[in-house]
Amino acid sequence: MYANERWFKDPESRRAAQGQSKAVVDERGRALFYHGTGGMQSPARYVLKSGSVLFRFARKGIAPKDGVTGAWWMSQESFQKVSAMSQQSDISIAMAARLLCCIPPEWSDMGTLMRAKVREPLLAFRGLGRDVVISDKLGTHRLKAYNDLSARRLYQLFIPGLRELAAQPSQRVVPGAIVPEQLWNIDVKAAARGFLYL
């Protein structure tokens, strides 16, 4: 049994991993299609073992207890790919993650980098990112996922149920299934410097 199995099995979790949001329904309330952008292609079941190290970017100033309840994460291996791109391209680590994970500035300022450890086995969806389409007053913009280039191909993790697990009564000093280990403050200007939609 996995701590978040109940939420993983919920069809809404898979849709969220695929970047799908509200359904457009017919007069009987049946879903015709889902709006969406971003997310991952072909989410596959993935087991996170106890002790696994994960990374994620979150908004500036987020409290560690709130940061670990976010659903989107990357493995240590994926984070190393982000770090390598940052060094090779001479851009901030957050900017490299923004490009490889397709995270437009509208979604996050990426002002916090978090390293955390899985406390108990969890289920996640794992997959490659999809293109992101954003519309604003200047028009419609596309952020391309470069999955065809091995150096930029990055698997992401979507872990459902973390917020709900953290809210459950617990005898633990730190609640939840993922424990924060370290946080780094990131310059939000550097996290978006040179950002262009492609």
Side-chain angles (χ1 to χ4, degrees):
M1 179 69 176
Y2 298 94
N4 66 335
E5 190 165 359
R6 170 179 147 203
W7 295 280
F8 180 84
K9 288 181 175 178
D10 184 339
E12 290 299 319
S13 292
R14 184 176 183 82
R15 282 195 275 273
Q18 292 174 309
Q20 298 174 349
S21 56
K22 278 192 167 182
V24 174
V25 298
D26 64 14
E27 64 279 353
R28 293 183 181 168
R30 293 178 297 200
L32 299 173
F33 64 91
Y34 292 83
H35 286 292
T37 185
M40 62 176 68
Q41 305 173 28
S42 307
R45 181 181 185 270
Y46 187 78
V47 174
L48 288 165
K49 296 177 181 175
S50 178
S52 298
V53 174
L54 301 176
F55 292 85
R56 80 182 300 261
F57 288 86
R59 68 173 159 42
K60 188 165 191 69
I62 195 167
K65 67 180 180 60
D66 296 325
V68 293
T69 64
W72 290 96
W73 292 83
M74 66 180 83
S75 67
Q76 196 160 13
E77 179 184 4
S78 290
F79 182 74
Q80 287 169 351
K81 191 169 276 198
V82 170
S83 180
M85 181 181 180
S86 168
Q87 293 170 19
Q88 291 163 3
S89 303
D90 195 25
I91 57 176
S92 78
I93 190 105
M95 187 66 219
R98 190 180 292 289
L99 293 171
L100 293 179
C101 298
C102 295
I103 305 169
E106 291 88 345
W107 291 1
S108 174
D109 66 12
M110 300 183 72
T112 301
L113 169 59
M114 175 176 287
R115 175 190 158 113
K117 191 169 279 189
V118 176
R119 190 196 317 248
E120 53 198 303
L122 294 168
L123 290 173
F125 291 102
R126 180 177 180 264
L128 296 171
R130 295 162 98 72
D131 292 357
V132 171
V133 179
I134 293 290
S135 294
D136 62 21
K137 61 185 177 186
L138 299 176
T140 300
H141 314 282
R142 179 178 298 274
L143 182 55
K144 182 173 174 33
Y146 292 97
N147 297 325
D148 53 333
L149 303 174
S150 62
R152 292 192 174 193
R153 189 179 304 127
L154 189 133
Y155 285 92
Q156 299 179 51
L157 299 170
F158 181 87
I159 311 171
L162 295 179
R163 192 171 312 281
E164 293 83 357
L165 287 169
Q168 290 180 348
S170 173
Q171 301 300 319
R172 300 170 173 161
V173 175
V174 180
I178 295 182
V179 181
E181 287 192 325
Q182 193 164 357
L183 268 71
W184 293 270
N185 291 319
I186 305 289
D187 178 354
V188 294
K189 289 182 181 174
R193 188 172 293 126
F195 184 82
L196 293 173
Y197 290 102
L198 304 173

